[in-house]
Amino acid sequence: MTESKPSDEEERERWERILTTQTEEEFRDFVIDQLDLRPDESVLSVGCGPGFETAALAQHIGEKGSITGIDVNEAVLAAATDLCGDLSQVSFKQGDITDLPVADESYHLAIAKQVLYAVSDIDAAVNELFRVIKPGGRVAVTAGDRRTHVKHTPTDRMQRADEIYRSEMGDRQRGTRLAALLPEAGFTIEEIVPRAKIQTEINDQIEQGIEVQRQLLAANDAFDDAEIEAWERDLRDLNETGQFLSCSTSFLHIARRPE
């Protein structure tokens, strides 16, 4: 039986839970701390989600600057609007990174944090970021590389499941590909900063990954239903005994559009 797609409201609640975890809060602070923000800058927050990043940016920009949050999900944008309702320098628009609903050369800075994993046309996304940045302005883009994702997999069954997962997921090297894609779009890269994201328990984000992996295993002849259930029990047992560990590296690219 095919599972129903989550409603917008369910997506909103899920992202609020994910983005308020300590791991995500620390990652958000890490990105902002690298940017040396000025109080008069105009900032575009792409994939702003329920507004936590937007609110954090407002603390640094102050009332002299401006921040526009962009997201594709209406319910998520409604949550962001509620969260940032008292911030006069903040506004929101619905849109996609491959077709941003803003004018050319509008912003001093655009931040796209962990957005590209869901984008099929990554070249169009990077070109859009170049279009909306003022000459001399910057982008801060983060993405991971599937090859850096490591897990504690003490059983042969878990190791085989992860091999299938990696092979079926295909090209997920965007965090390293940006080193070529940003210059091709016209940017000059100023800095690339790696950041390890470590998970030591199964949270909402990990649950989503487990569901994706279950679907991939179900479509593979190497695993039957009983072994898929046993694989998931292996994960749950690690979590219950404090042995769960998953680590991936994201790469923050800070690049400038030439004057």
Side-chain angles (χ1 to χ4, degrees):
M1 184 177 70
T2 302
E3 293 189 7
S4 60
K5 183 179 178 181
S7 67
D8 283 353
E9 187 62 31
E10 289 171 334
E11 279 292 284
R12 164 182 171 166
E13 293 175 356
R14 183 174 69 85
W15 278 111
E16 286 180 345
R17 290 194 300 270
I18 289 173
L19 294 174
T20 52
T21 62
Q22 181 177 349
T23 299
E24 289 301 321
E25 288 178 354
E26 290 176 351
F27 188 62
R28 184 163 56 244
D29 291 342
F30 157 75
V31 172
I32 292 175
D33 288 346
Q34 303 298 314
L35 296 177
D36 191 23
L37 295 168
R38 299 196 315 267
D40 61 343
E41 286 191 298
S42 54
V43 180
L44 185 67
S45 174
V46 184
C48 65
F52 299 113
E53 176 179 274
T54 320
L57 287 167
Q59 294 180 6
H60 292 265
I61 295 297
E63 296 182 358
K64 293 183 179 179
S66 65
I67 306 163
T68 304
I70 302 285
D71 206 279
V72 297
N73 187 299
E74 289 185 5
V76 164
L77 284 176
T81 301
D82 291 342
L83 180 68
C84 301
D86 295 332
L87 301 172
S88 61
Q89 71 273 51
V90 172
S91 62
F92 295 98
K93 294 183 179 182
Q94 185 177 17
D96 184 272
I97 191 172
T98 60
D99 187 19
L100 294 167
V102 298
D104 296 355
E105 301 181 4
S106 300
Y107 294 90
H108 295 107
L109 170 68
I111 300 176
K113 184 167 62 64
Q114 305 301 84
V115 176
L116 296 179
Y117 79 94
V119 176
S120 57
D121 191 345
I122 190 171
D123 294 290
V126 174
N127 288 332
E128 271 292 270
L129 291 174
F130 186 84
R131 177 184 69 80
V132 303
I133 291 298
K134 296 175 183 285
R138 299 174 296 161
V139 292
V141 186
T142 72
D145 187 315
R146 185 72 64 188
R147 295 169 298 180
T148 71
H149 193 186
V150 294
K151 302 175 184 176
H152 176 42
T153 53
T155 68
D156 173 73
R157 179 168 47 233
M158 296 177 74
Q159 292 166 14
R160 289 188 291 109
D162 272 17
E163 288 172 3
I164 292 170
Y165 180 71
R166 285 193 295 270
S167 65
E168 292 295 333
M169 289 300 287
D171 175 22
R172 291 295 188 275
Q173 302 172 14
R174 297 177 178 186
T176 46
R177 284 182 60 203
L178 283 168
L181 293 172
L182 287 167
E184 288 172 3
F187 288 107
T188 299
I189 294 179
E190 295 187 336
E191 192 173 11
I192 302 174
V193 188
R195 170 78 176 191
K197 297 178 68 176
I198 300 173
Q199 304 277 14
T200 57
E201 62 182 3
I202 295 177
N203 58 17
D204 280 2
Q205 200 165 16
I206 298 297
E207 290 287 4
Q208 183 181 21
I210 291 173
E211 180 55 35
V212 170
Q213 194 162 358
R214 281 186 64 97
Q215 294 173 13
L216 294 175
L217 294 176
N220 192 289
D221 293 337
F223 273 71
D224 59 23
D225 290 346
E227 195 162 26
I228 292 173
E229 295 301 323
W231 161 79
E232 184 170 344
R233 283 198 303 274
D234 289 342
L235 284 174
R236 305 288 180 191
D237 288 344
L238 288 178
N239 190 55
E240 290 176 6
T241 57
Q243 299 179 58
F244 182 86
L245 175 63
S246 174
C247 179
S248 60
T249 301
S250 292
F251 298 88
L252 166 62
H253 291 69
I254 301 175
R256 191 174 298 275
R257 175 172 174 166
E259 295 276 2

